[in-house]
Amino acid sequence: MSDTDDTPMVKAERVHKSFGAVEVLKGIDLQVRRGEVFCVVGPSGSGKSTFLRCINHLEKINAGRLYVDGELVGYRQRGNKLYEMREREVAAQRRDIGMVFQRFNLFPHMTAAENVMEAPVQVKGLPKAEARERAEELLERVGLGDRADHYPAQLSGGQQQRVAIARALAMDPKLMLFDEPTSALDPELVGEVLDVMRALAEDGMTMIVVTHEMGFAREVGDSLVFMDEGVVVESGHPREVLTNPRHERTKAFLSKVL
């Protein structure tokens, strides 16, 4: 684990991923710096979500290398060979990576606070009273201090997604992955989730955000990649890519979404 600031938080080298005969990622190369908000845009089926899931080894890559904070993800290298880590070792790596999905995946039988407390208690062995205090702080941070004892069914979609963000933060991750976190929300609830993400960015959290929210990418993003058919077609500063795309494929995509 590296603390030197010039080590990228995420580094992908020629990452390939196939599902059966279908090649979903065709040699992805990219780097995400510490403290950076890195946005990934592109049409459905372009490999964006799969790439995100490879970063925390929810999907195993077929070729290439993926590093988080200077450490190889999911594998150990001996000589020129890669050996897959045991599930326990992979789980230890995942603790440092928070993930927020399109669907909130909250436990329906637990309150907001209990959802946030669960992993620190079960995985880190944090005493319940301490975990509860931390959960209340995090719910306050995402604007839900008064909803700690509400169950998911009593919360709007936007509130549930903010609980999901608090839950991911409860493990003190060094990296946050967001997989289209607003796409399942009613339009009027999108802003409240983006506001929380904006505040995280201001606090210096390293974030990779797969998103259709071009306004967020333009305002908050430090880097943006446009993916299509499993490759990075174009990358650069969000304003530059969104305003002056160089590739015809990027232009065609943006003409439909902007």
Side-chain angles (χ1 to χ4, degrees), residues 68-135:
V68 171
D69 202 13
E71 279 191 8
L72 205 51
V73 173
Y75 297 91
R76 188 164 277 114
Q77 186 161 347
R78 293 197 199 105
N80 289 328
K81 278 201 155 167
L82 289 186
Y83 297 89
E84 191 161 355
M85 285 179 171
R86 292 189 184 91
E87 187 52 44
R88 194 177 70 241
E89 298 169 298
V90 173
Q93 284 189 326
R94 269 195 207 122
R95 285 181 206 176
D96 290 331
I97 305 171
M99 184 144 186
V100 178
F101 301 89
Q102 291 180 33
R103 298 277 164 202
F104 329 120
N105 298 352
L106 298 176
F107 295 115
H109 63 289
M110 292 184 181
T111 63
E114 287 166 347
N115 266 283
V116 178
M117 289 165 63
E118 180 70 2
V121 170
Q122 299 299 334
V123 180
K124 284 189 165 177
L126 206 65
K128 276 198 170 157
E130 203 176 314
R132 170 77 195 200
E133 197 175 316
R134 175 93 176 110

Side-chain angles (χ1 to χ4, degrees), residues 154-216:
Q154 300 170 303
L155 301 171
S156 71
Q159 289 170 332
Q160 289 186 60
Q161 191 61 295
R162 286 187 281 154
V163 173
I165 294 172
R167 179 180 59 183
L169 291 173
M171 292 296 283
D172 294 316
K174 57 174 101 167
L175 169 67
M176 285 282 280
L177 308 177
F178 291 90
D179 188 8
E180 298 187 15
T182 58
S183 65
L185 299 178
D186 292 332
E188 68 271 21
L189 302 177
V190 167
E192 64 191 49
V193 173
L194 294 179
D195 285 346
V196 169
M197 293 168 65
R198 210 173 264 118
L200 280 181
E202 285 166 10
D203 291 343
M205 175 63 76
T206 311
M207 297 158 60
I208 303 180
V209 185
V210 171
T211 187
H212 293 297
E213 301 294 335
M214 300 301 160
F216 175 84

Side-chain angles (χ1 to χ4, degrees), residues 8 16 41 43 53 63-64 88 98 111 117 125 127 144 219 226 244 246:
H16 288 258
V41 303
R53 292 169 67 83
R88 194 177 70 241
T111 63
M117 289 165 63
L144 293 172
E219 291 161 40
F226 168 66
N244 300 308
R246 296 189 302 276

